[in-house]
Amino acid sequence: SNAVDAAAEMLGSRDNVHLVQGSIFELPFRDGVLDACYCIGVIQHTPDPGLALSVIPRVLKAGGKFAVTIYERNKFTLLNSKYPLRFFTRWLNSKILLVLIHGMMPFLWPLTEVLFRIPILGRLFRFLIPIANYVEEPELSWKQRYQWAVLDTFDMLAPRYDQPQKESYVVDVLQRAGLCQIRRLNNPGLNVVGQRGRSI
């Protein structure tokens, strides 16, 4: 995607950063060339998450480390309000969707400021209202959180694909792709780490 352009703007001047654009299904690297690979928030947005996961380990050296963060699927995931809404929003022109989000924020933002802070019930309201308001981030100003909410709400509703994955499936795919010492981290989301087996 054109996210590489933003990365180039932010990091392109650093001597130790090399930016490469390519398909995750056909990574433009030789086999066994990388010491480590971290894939954050990408797998669920591909048309074939299993294939995307299975092809990454080949670029790792023997003993190379791998980490991935994926939206997790459980029995309630697809009941989240963003998924029914995405039946419509993922087909909208991105500029039109962004205008709609900007238009609804003045009403929904103050509402979520109150509802998302209610103990226990706040989690339910986050599930029911498809707004990314991070009320638990006190170090950010109101303006920063508002801007973040606009961007992340767009990120929830715009992608063509959004396919959360089960932990058991992710582990199985990575094992078959040659990773070992696979484990899940305790931080929020489905965060899995592993290591390329010594034999290639």
Side-chain angles (χ1 to χ4, degrees):
S1 75
N2 62 0
V4 72
D5 299 326
E9 185 178 334
M10 298 294 294
L11 304 169
S13 62
R14 298 187 182 192
D15 292 337
N16 63 343
V17 172
H18 302 278
L19 296 164
V20 178
Q21 186 176 34
S23 167
I24 195 169
F25 299 114
E26 298 176 5
L27 293 172
F29 302 105
R30 295 189 308 273
D31 290 0
V33 72
L34 300 179
D35 295 309
C37 182
Y38 178 38
C39 183
I40 177 171
V42 172
I43 299 298
Q44 70 274 350
H45 294 312
T46 66
D48 189 339
L51 178 59
L53 269 175
S54 69
V55 297
I56 297 174
R58 75 156 182 86
V59 301
L60 289 170
K61 295 177 180 177
K65 296 184 179 179
F66 178 77
V68 63
T69 298
I70 307 172
Y71 294 170
E72 184 172 21
R73 180 170 184 167
N74 59 41
K75 58 186 175 182
F76 299 113
T77 301
L78 297 183
L79 297 177
N80 186 299
S81 59
K82 81 170 182 175
Y83 288 105
L85 198 54
R86 278 181 44 76
F87 277 113
F88 307 101
T89 60
R90 66 183 176 144
W91 302 108
L92 283 177
N93 176 284
S94 59
K95 290 180 181 179
I96 293 173
L97 177 59
L98 192 56
V99 166
L100 290 173
I101 290 171
H102 276 291
M104 70 180 187
M105 272 299 175
F107 168 71
L108 290 177
W109 169 265
L111 183 65
T112 60
E113 276 287 285
V114 175
L115 296 179
F116 287 7
R117 294 178 190 274
I118 299 173
I120 302 174
L121 287 178
R123 293 185 66 186
L124 175 63
F125 287 123
R126 286 174 192 247
F127 200 76
L128 297 175
I129 303 172
I131 297 294
N133 183 358
Y134 303 106
V135 296
E136 71 282 357
E137 298 288 345
E139 69 276 6
L140 298 179
S141 69
W142 186 93
K143 182 178 179 181
Q144 288 172 321
R145 283 196 302 106
Y146 188 92
Q147 291 172 335
W148 193 0
V150 169
L151 292 175
D152 271 15
T153 299
F154 178 82
D155 186 55
M156 284 196 305
L157 301 177
R160 177 74 180 274
Y161 303 101
D162 185 336
Q163 304 180 81
Q165 301 297 305
K166 293 183 178 180
E167 178 183 357
S168 58
Y169 177 71
V170 169
V171 170
D172 180 60
V173 170
L174 293 178
Q175 284 176 334
R176 286 188 279 113
L179 292 190
C180 59
Q181 299 181 32
I182 300 170
R183 63 187 175 88
R184 179 177 183 165
L185 302 181
N186 290 327
N187 44 328
L190 180 51
N191 300 279
V192 177
V193 296
Q195 186 172 321
R196 179 74 193 256
R198 289 289 170 182
S199 59
I200 297 181

